[in-house]
Amino acid sequence: MGLRDFFKPVPTWSADQVREFLKGQNPAEFNLVDVREPSEYEKEHLPGARHIPLAQLARRIRELDREKPTIAY
Amino acid sequence: MKAYSMAGGIDAWNGFTASGPPEMGMLVFAGTESPEELIALSWALEEGSRRFYAAVAGTLQDKEAGAFFEKLVLAEESHKKTVVQLYGEITGNESSLALSERGDLQDIMEGGVRVSEALEWAQGKEAADILQYAMSLEINAYDLYLKMVKRFEEEPPATIFETLAKEEEVHLNRMAELLGTRT
């Protein structure tokens, strides 16, 4: 991910689109990222979601495989 | 990188959600846990859940729910065998004994809950209460196995954990059906 990527608009999927996408997908083939605060993640998160708070995302972006689609919420 | 934002966030999600911190159940993926440790943990969780379901199945007045928990006992037993096989492939020691002897993994079940505490809680509870509780445990197992798939990615355990995750999802859907007819 380069600097220019930060200025690209991020497309939005509805929750139904996300559900359809996740159905039947190998969990290793995409990044599902919860960018909320730790307490919010702890209370409730999508199964399998990785937690990277928004404030840490730029620093930890390399933890995500850029070759795979990423869904964030 | 192709990135998508989910409109409405988690509030818009109409499906199962897990709870607990990122490291729940496995000190997760700090990167130091060996495959053997993670597989041993899975075996312990399955064994704990088997014990819990076996105990509650026999006490419920609700025969349909009782029969369902009996099926779960068999499912957890099957999961244990799968995990033992995987453990054998990795360590060369296909023995559940090596897994069951780990003192730090005694008395835990899916969701990271102590079996003894769960059984104490379940005393005198209705089927709906236990189904709801079991759903919360299975969701966390589902969450854990999905994370395991990502943890192992291209390595052999990923396929096994993907299978286990799918089976947990089937259990969850069946539990939701049963619960729906009781609440």
Side-chain angles (χ1 to χ4, degrees):
Chain A
M1 188 169 183
L3 185 62
R4 277 186 300 177
D5 290 317
F6 286 106
F7 298 96
K8 286 181 186 169
V10 176
T12 299
W13 275 357
S14 69
D16 284 342
Q17 281 177 295
V18 171
R19 186 177 300 103
E20 277 307 306
F21 174 81
L22 299 182
K23 201 187 293 178
Q25 278 273 353
N26 180 332
E29 294 305 313
F30 58 87
N31 304 303
L32 178 61
V33 188
D34 188 323
V35 297
R36 300 171 304 151
E37 291 302 304
S39 60
E40 293 173 298
Y41 179 94
E42 191 163 336
K43 184 179 169 199
E44 184 179 39
H45 59 267
L46 267 58
R50 179 173 195 149
H51 184 230
I52 306 181
L54 196 56
Q56 300 175 16
L57 192 56
R59 179 164 51 85
R60 296 176 57 188
I61 196 77
R62 285 193 177 84
E63 293 176 23
L64 303 176
D65 186 339
R66 59 176 299 154
E67 300 301 320
K68 297 173 183 172
T70 297
I71 302 159
Y73 66 92
Chain B
M1 177 185 278
K2 281 186 185 168
Y4 305 90
S5 166
M6 188 167 76
I10 201 161
D11 291 339
W13 182 253
N14 181 23
F16 299 124
T17 56
S19 59
E23 67 277 12
M24 179 163 174
M26 45 200 316
L27 322 168
V28 187
F29 312 149
T32 54
E33 294 76 17
S34 67
E36 291 89 335
E37 284 175 308
L38 295 177
I39 293 164
L41 173 69
S42 305
W43 187 91
L45 297 177
E46 297 290 347
E47 165 61 7
S49 297
R50 187 200 62 76
R51 281 177 52 210
F52 177 71
Y53 293 141
V56 297
T59 63
L60 288 173
Q61 304 263 323
D62 183 328
K63 297 299 171 203
E64 188 185 18
F68 173 68
F69 283 119
E70 293 281 6
K71 280 186 186 169
L72 281 183
V73 170
L74 298 177
E76 305 296 5
E77 196 61 57
S78 165
H79 287 181
K80 275 173 53 191
K81 283 182 186 157
T82 304
V83 171
V84 167
Q85 194 178 2
L86 176 61
Y87 188 80
E89 285 169 17
I90 288 179
T91 63
N93 175 20
E94 193 172 305
S95 161
S96 60
L97 192 62
L99 296 169
S100 62
E101 280 177 344
R102 290 191 50 146
D104 56 336
L105 297 178
Q106 299 294 318
D107 198 37
I108 61 166
M109 59 192 276
E110 289 167 346
V113 175
R114 296 219 160 272
V115 182
S116 47
E117 288 173 12
L119 288 173
E120 196 174 330
W121 171 87
Q123 283 177 9
K125 292 286 192 299
E126 298 290 329
D129 297 323
I130 295 177
L131 279 167
Q132 202 154 24
Y133 183 65
M135 276 185 76
S136 71
L137 306 177
E138 295 277 331
I139 287 171
N140 282 323
Y142 178 49
D143 182 43
L144 185 68
Y145 290 145
L146 289 176
K147 287 172 177 168
M148 293 267 205
V149 176
K150 288 181 196 293
R151 159 71 174 75
F152 288 107
E153 287 213 328
E154 305 297 325
E155 298 172 64
T159 311
I160 303 289
F161 286 119
E162 191 184 354
T163 303
L164 293 178
K166 280 182 183 163
E167 289 181 13
E168 298 295 359
E169 191 180 16
V170 171
H171 297 165
L172 277 169
N173 286 322
R174 180 66 184 131
M175 282 180 185
E177 276 176 25
L178 285 172
L179 190 60
T181 58
R182 284 162 178 76
T183 51

